[in-house]
Amino acid sequence: MSALSNDNFSRRSLFRAAAGMAAAGTLAACGSNNGRGGSGGSGTQLVQYFHAYGEAGTEQAIKRYAAAYKKAGVSTNWITGNNFEAKLFSALLTKQAPDVFEFHPQLQMVKSGQVADLSDLIDPVKDDFNPNDIKSHTVDGKIYGIRMIDDPQFFYYRKSMLEKAKVDVPTTLDELLEAAAKLTTDKVKGVFLGNDFTAIQNNLIFSAGAETLDANNKIGYHTDGVVEGLKKLRTLFTSGHVLLDAPTDFWDPSALNQGLCAIQWGGMWSMPAMQKALGDDLGIFPFPKIGSAGKLSVYNGGWSIFVNAKGKNVEAAKEYVKWLWIDQKKYQEDWALSYGFHIPPRTSIANSATKLKSGLPAEAVKLFTDYGHFDNIGFDQVMITAFNDVIASSVRKNGNPEAALDTCDKKVDVELKKLFG
């Protein structure tokens, strides 16, 4: 269940500037299709927003769950294209705002009173959630949002291609660059990191032994290791050994499946499609270490469900969210495991998920457990966009990484003052 439909771009990257503008109220409301209608007769009508997942059956599944709910009519706005976040943020400023929506934990949405406190829903089952998923949604002891799926990301590779080129699985960024060179032929590129490299920006930070923000909510990403990583990614970008301008982006498995590259960055959601195409020739490894303080890293993406605290039906929306994302474990398991692979955030569901118990899926779960990093709720859209610009200027263009990070720091500091004083 990749985050995006086939006409979409990066899971989390390209929307950010637009989302920030929408949060500031500068985007027009999205079109007249407000999704209202649905089932439920003359009773309460709720609207939920979901972005268009790429895997077949996802839209039908979400609508099937909603149709089974009897206490209110629930209609779904299934938003295609690469501007889900912009449409969501702009809709939240209008009378057509959704009652329920999926997104990622963002402190600025809590501070602005946009998302409802869901502690009363989660508290009775809190111990059944991955503690990191609770932590990443918690502000001042209150929990905002319920995690639906955890989406670890890592490198996929063709075992036969590495064997033929006598290449070992890379454990450092230097080794990845060397591997990419050896694996590149006139028909195949060594590695694919996504079309604009922003897909791996969190791992650039984590694998350099740094964090987005430190424990005191100060800048944590501006380190010598991150600078070194940016320089090496620039070398890779210009090497001729990396797949650029692929027909689809990293969230889609086709670059590796079709033999366009030997190694591809991707998410666990792609695993069933990749296994179907490549069988036992498929392997995975975490993002390699960068510099002397480096550590292997796995970035955990994923999606959470939120209730619009400014909506007309907050209590009815909370009741629906509790019914679907707390009580209906069969639906939660179906959502996590039937349309691509994800790790269920509920421990009880994860423990009974036979599909994740052996082979490559089990290996992915172990990588997630050993090397996983979760979103920091304080590192918001503006900050993510600022770091997107670092990648653009010092990897895709030939800018100075230190200067790019300095520019980023100024933007992030302004935002940190707004959020933390």
Side-chain angles (χ1 to χ4, degrees):
M1 199 184 299
S2 73
L4 304 169
S5 64
N6 288 341
D7 58 347
N8 216 324
F9 255 78
S10 156
R11 238 177 134 67
R12 306 173 57 91
S13 308
L14 288 193
F15 66 83
R16 280 154 186 148
M21 285 162 56
T26 53
L27 280 177
C30 59
S32 59
N33 174 22
N34 59 32
R36 296 183 190 276
S39 57
S42 58
T44 304
Q45 298 294 319
L46 301 173
V47 175
Q48 59 181 358
Y49 269 34
F50 276 75
H51 78 281
Y53 287 73
E55 283 71 1
T58 48
E59 180 179 7
Q60 292 79 6
I62 279 293
K63 291 180 174 177
R64 187 172 73 250
Y65 310 153
Y69 186 62
K70 301 305 178 196
K71 290 192 176 178
V74 183
S75 52
T76 303
N77 233 1
W78 188 258
I79 297 174
T80 58
N82 63 358
N83 57 352
F84 166 72
E85 289 80 2
K87 284 188 175 179
L88 169 64
F89 273 61
S90 57
L92 287 171
L93 299 168
T94 72
K95 290 179 181 176
Q96 311 302 330
D99 302 285
V100 175
F101 58 90
E102 66 170 359
F103 201 58
H104 318 290
Q106 295 266 314
L107 181 61
Q108 124 259 334
M109 296 186 84
V110 176
K111 294 261 183 183
S112 66
Q114 186 69 71
V115 290
D117 173 9
L118 304 183
S119 306
D120 55 328
L121 310 189
I122 295 187
D123 277 341
V125 293
K126 185 174 165 182
D127 292 343
D128 190 35
F129 276 85
N130 184 317
N132 289 303
D133 281 322
I134 296 294
K135 183 184 174 186
S136 65
H137 292 69
T138 300
V139 179
D140 297 331
K142 294 177 179 177
I143 304 166
Y144 298 85
I146 300 172
R147 196 63 149 181
M148 301 181 293
I149 45 174
D150 282 325
D151 277 342
Q153 297 169 27
F154 27 70
F155 281 110
Y156 289 95
Y157 68 97
R158 298 280 292 267
K159 292 178 182 177
S160 58
M161 289 184 179
L162 269 67
E163 283 164 19
K164 187 179 177 186
K166 296 184 170 58
V167 169
D168 292 328
V169 171
T171 59
T172 68
L173 190 54
D174 285 326
E175 289 173 3
L176 182 66
L177 267 68
E178 290 164 19
K182 289 178 184 172
L183 290 162
T184 298
T185 68
D186 56 351
K187 292 180 180 161
V188 178
K189 292 294 185 183
V191 66
F192 178 46
L193 292 164
N195 282 327
D196 66 2
F197 278 45
T198 55
I200 52 99
Q201 71 180 41
N202 285 309
N203 292 87
L204 165 66
I205 296 168
F206 302 143
S207 277
E211 294 290 340
T212 49
L213 301 176
D214 67 17
N216 299 313
N217 294 309
K218 304 291 184 194
I219 287 168
Y221 58 77
H222 194 155
T223 67
D224 291 344
V226 170
V227 171
E228 183 183 330
L230 287 165
K231 288 176 179 173
K232 288 192 168 130
L233 287 175
R234 172 64 185 170
T235 302
L236 184 61
F237 186 78
T238 57
S239 66
H241 306 142
V242 63
L243 179 64
L244 302 170
D245 302 318
T248 56
D249 214 336
F250 82 102
W251 45 264
D252 185 277
S254 55
L256 194 75
N257 286 1
Q258 294 171 9
L260 303 180
C261 59
I263 299 173
Q264 175 183 341
W265 186 250
M268 192 171 172
W269 59 86
S270 292
M271 192 174 281
M274 284 183 161
Q275 286 184 303
K276 187 176 179 183
L278 303 173
D280 293 336
D281 195 28
L282 186 66
I284 56 173
F285 63 92
F287 200 93
K289 300 177 213 177
I290 302 169
S292 56
K295 299 173 182 177
L296 301 174
S297 74
V298 171
Y299 169 62
N300 178 52
W303 292 86
S304 307
I305 203 77
F306 297 90
V307 168
N308 178 10
K310 298 178 179 180
K312 296 173 191 165
N313 299 299
V314 176
E315 288 310 312
K318 283 178 66 175
E319 204 172 336
Y320 168 65
V321 163
K322 176 184 181 295
W323 174 82
L324 180 51
W325 298 109
I326 299 290
D327 300 340
Q328 302 302 314
K329 286 175 124 181
K330 280 189 179 174
Y331 290 152
Q332 293 159 42
E333 182 175 9
D334 181 64
W335 188 240
L337 296 163
S338 297
Y339 317 94
F341 286 162
H342 314 262
I343 297 176
R346 299 283 292 271
T347 311
S348 57
I349 298 174
N351 287 344
S352 65
T354 51
K355 289 177 181 177
L356 305 182
K357 292 298 181 201
S358 60
L360 208 59
E363 207 177 312
V365 172
K366 186 168 187 342
L367 292 184
F368 166 78
T369 305
D370 292 349
Y371 306 117
H373 288 260
F374 289 68
D375 284 315
N376 184 320
I377 194 170
F379 200 72
D380 70 6
Q381 299 305 127
V382 174
M383 303 180 204
I384 295 163
T385 304
F387 205 91
N388 287 168
D389 295 341
V390 173
I391 301 283
S393 71
S394 55
V395 176
R396 300 205 305 276
K397 299 170 192 166
N398 197 23
N400 180 314
E402 277 289 2
L405 286 167
D406 287 342
T407 301
C408 182
D409 291 350
K410 287 174 186 166
K411 294 174 185 171
V412 171
D413 275 331
V414 169
E415 196 67 10
L416 287 173
K417 283 190 177 74
K418 283 186 200 166
L419 292 174
F420 300 105

